[in-house]
Amino acid sequence: MIKTRGYAAHSGDQPLQPFHFERRAPGAGDVQIDILYCGVCHSDLHTVRNEWNNTLYPSVPGHEIVGRVSAVGDQVDRLKVGDIVGVGCMVDSCQQCSSCAEGLEQYCDNGFVGTYNGHAFGGSENTYGGYSDNIVVRQEFVLHIRHTDNLAAVAPLLCAGITTYSPLRHWSVGPGQKVGVVGLGGLGHMGVKLARAMGAHVVLITTSPDKRDDALRLGAQEVIVSRDEDQMAAAAGTLDFILNTVAAPHDLNALLSLLKRDGTMTLVGAPAEPHPSPEVFQLIFKRRKLAGSLIGGIAETQEMLDFCAEHDIVSDIEMIPIQEINEAYERMLKGDVRYRFVIDMASLKDD
Ligand code: NAP
Ligand code: ZN
């Protein structure tokens, strides 16, 4: 077993605190990684506070992991000690069902194993994530990272990056299309950068008028403040696709009305409470579609990392020591993050 230091919550109403635990020693097909940085996703907060009613405690969140390989098992052929690698939201899947066969492990028919809060196959134990100094993962779920000069800012690509890249690709976003991104947080700011890099005309839809300049700097060509009815009315029926990243329940009708005929709005935000059901007429009169999307498969995650390396795309981050994680959650709830917190794991040695 490997001794590991991390931060955990022990119940939904307690702050994260230092937590020492053990991980399995690497098996033949496993890779052991010293974690350098871990991004802070809103899903971490939903989980720690048991907002989805499925949290296993103690809970060690973190699924935007970058680090350096420190050991490999005998059968590992894709990676070697010293490689800079990433781990995202999944650490295992059945590898046998039709979804896994298509490289869509996130939709594994037998349920993928989450990097945290997941039941390891064949056991009832809880998986512990990246708010820790090391992790052991089977090699198929470890990603190569090629742009290593700003590694902390690469970490958020492992969830925020792939969760926005995958639907943009699935719905064939590209030149000649007007694409709306709703919410300028961790996911949203990656959605803006990626949709722009794919050649779309990007419209950021926000509740925060003060994010306007940032949105334009990040790649949006237009900004709509969703609480301004005149701005919303002026944009009605203009968008081909909308990527909705909002972490709280809200009125979907106003956003659906922005779609053209045959347009799609895809939800990636996963609020604790459901959205009010949208009006049927918002859909049927223009044959609009409302869809959802979950992270992305391993092969597509590698494709996204390579795309970002090629286009020089990283996340805009605010680095924090792990001791500030509980304050960071409060700030995330207020929308006060520009645009992703990343934990410098070197700070763990101070606990
Ligand atoms: P985040 O950084 O907190 O960003 C969410 C943004 O939503 C905020 O910055 C804010 O943007 C907007 N927002 C928040 N509350 C709002 C409200 N009441 N009304 C309207 N807009 C509001 O969160 P994140 O890390 O990007 O995650 C977003 C959501 O995606 C979370 O629910 C997370 O669990 C989920 N998620 C899903 C997947 C997936 O696979 N589908 C993967 C990762 C995360 P403005 O200030 O611009 O309005
Ligand atoms: Zn996430």
Side-chain angles (χ1 to χ4, degrees), residues 46 82 95 99 107 109 117 136 147 150 157 169 181-182 209 211 214 221 233 238 269 304 308 335 351:
H46 290 306
Q95 306 277 299
S99 296
Y107 303 116
D109 297 353
N117 205 52
V136 177
H147 51 338
N150 192 0
L157 302 182
R169 280 286 188 234
V181 174
V182 191
K211 291 183 182 172
D214 276 349
Q221 284 105 329
T238 61
M304 176 276 309
C308 288
D351 275 300

Side-chain angles (χ1 to χ4, degrees), residues 24-44:
R24 69 173 188 268
D30 284 339
V31 176
Q32 184 179 335
I33 301 160
D34 286 338
I35 299 177
L36 299 171
Y37 303 104
C38 184
V40 178
C41 179
H42 207 112
S43 301
D44 303 352

